[in-house]
Amino acid sequence: MGKRDNRVAYMNPIAMARSRGPAPSSGPTIQDYLNRPRPTWEEVKEQLEKKKKGSKALAEFEEKMNENWKKELEKHREKLLSGSESTSRKKEKKKKEKKKSSRLSPSSSSSSSSDSSSSSSDFEDEDKKQRKKRRKKKYHSSRKSSESSDSDSESDSKDSLKNKRSKEDREREKDSKTLVRKRVKAERGDGLSSSESASESDHTEEVPTKKKKNYEEKERNDKSKKRKKHKKHGKRK
């Protein structure tokens, strides 16, 4: 049997691609991009003018806002200036009045001085009264605080004394309980020792009595045996 021919013809991929022709393009090509519709110079000018108009409107809005702000600032300045002018005028009037009062007669000056002294004395009296009231308040507050602290300390001391007494009572109870237990144990030990000694003495007493009885029984048995032997010998003779 001859071998089967499994050879395959070689196909050049480049030649195959050329034979297929150009591949269909899915998107726009470079030629499409180059041949795109372009605006004319007039259209470009119109777009630029539109942009400039938009910027002009924004500039006009900003100018209006600045004008309104300037007006508000001017009003505020006028108010401040009017207030400062009024205060300056008041000060001038007060100075003029003082000068006029100084130009008046000495009687008026003395009366004014007396009035001022009386007013100053009244003011001093009020200050003294207020100081006294403050001192009284401080004294009362300090006294209350001291009393509260004393009461707290007394309550703490009472609590500590109660705790100490309760501890001492507990310790005494414990000591008394331990003493009672020791006494009971000692009494039980004495009773056990006495019972043991009594049982030992009874046992010791029983032992010699038993020995005596055994010894007496043995002697009796021996005597009876000897008698029997004597009897037997007498019969043989």
Side-chain angles (χ1 to χ4, degrees):
M1 294 297 289
K3 291 182 179 179
R4 188 177 289 178
D5 191 6
N6 292 324
R7 290 179 294 173
V8 180
Y10 175 72
M11 302 295 287
N12 192 354
I14 295 165
M16 292 286 287
R18 284 176 182 172
S19 65
R20 284 173 193 165
S25 61
S26 60
T29 60
I30 295 166
Q31 288 179 357
D32 294 334
Y33 179 73
L34 293 170
N35 295 324
R36 72 186 184 277
R38 296 179 185 178
T40 60
W41 181 242
E42 291 178 356
E43 291 176 354
V44 172
K45 281 182 179 180
E46 287 177 357
Q47 288 178 1
L48 291 169
E49 285 177 356
K50 285 179 181 179
K51 286 181 180 178
K52 285 179 181 178
K53 283 180 181 178
S55 62
K56 282 180 182 178
L58 199 146
E60 288 176 356
F61 177 73
E62 287 179 352
E63 285 177 358
K64 285 180 181 179
M65 291 292 289
N66 289 326
E67 287 176 358
N68 292 325
W69 184 247
K70 283 178 183 178
K71 287 178 182 179
E72 288 179 359
L73 287 171
E74 286 176 357
K75 287 179 182 178
H76 189 63
R77 283 174 186 170
E78 285 176 358
K79 285 180 181 179
L80 291 171
L81 290 168
S82 64
S84 63
E85 285 177 356
S86 62
T87 52
S88 63
R89 285 175 185 175
K90 286 178 182 178
K91 286 180 182 179
E92 287 177 356
K93 284 181 181 179
K94 284 181 181 179
K95 286 179 181 180
K96 286 178 182 179
E97 287 176 356
K98 284 181 180 179
K99 285 178 181 179
K100 286 179 181 179
S101 62
S102 63
R103 286 175 186 176
L104 290 171
S105 62
S107 62
S108 63
S109 64
S110 63
S111 64
S112 63
S113 64
S114 64
D115 292 331
S116 63
S117 63
S118 63
S119 63
S120 63
S121 63
D122 293 331
F123 185 71
E124 287 176 355
D125 292 331
E126 287 178 357
D127 287 334
K128 286 179 181 179
K129 287 178 181 179
Q130 288 178 357
R131 286 175 185 173
K132 285 180 181 179
K133 286 179 181 179
R134 287 174 185 172
R135 286 176 184 173
K136 285 180 180 179
K137 284 181 180 179
K138 285 181 180 178
Y139 177 72
H140 287 300
S141 63
S142 63
R143 194 171 179 182
K144 285 179 181 178
S145 62
S146 64
E147 287 176 356
S148 63
S149 63
D150 292 331
S151 64
D152 292 331
S153 63
E154 286 177 358
S155 63
D156 293 331
S157 63
K158 286 179 181 178
D159 293 330
S160 62
L161 287 168
K162 286 180 180 177
N163 291 323
K164 285 181 181 178
R165 286 175 182 174
S166 63
K167 285 181 181 179
E168 288 177 354
D169 294 330
R170 288 174 186 172
E171 289 178 354
R172 286 174 184 172
E173 286 178 358
K174 285 181 181 179
D175 294 332
S176 64
K177 285 179 180 178
T178 51
L179 289 169
V180 170
R181 286 175 184 173
K182 286 179 180 179
R183 286 176 183 172
V184 170
K185 286 180 181 179
E187 288 175 357
R188 286 179 181 175
D190 293 334
L192 290 169
S193 62
S194 63
S195 63
E196 286 176 357
S197 62
S199 63
E200 286 178 357
S201 63
D202 294 332
H203 184 66
T204 51
E205 287 177 355
E206 287 175 356
V207 167
T209 53
K210 285 180 180 180
K211 285 180 179 180
K212 286 180 181 179
K213 286 179 180 179
N214 291 324
Y215 184 70
E216 288 177 354
E217 286 178 355
K218 282 180 181 181
E219 285 181 351
R220 287 175 185 173
N221 290 324
D222 292 331
K223 286 178 180 181
S224 63
K225 284 177 181 180
K226 284 179 181 180
R227 286 174 184 172
K228 286 178 180 179
K229 284 179 181 180
H230 286 297
K231 286 180 180 179
K232 283 178 181 180
H233 287 295
K235 285 177 179 180
R236 286 175 184 176
K237 288 177 180 180

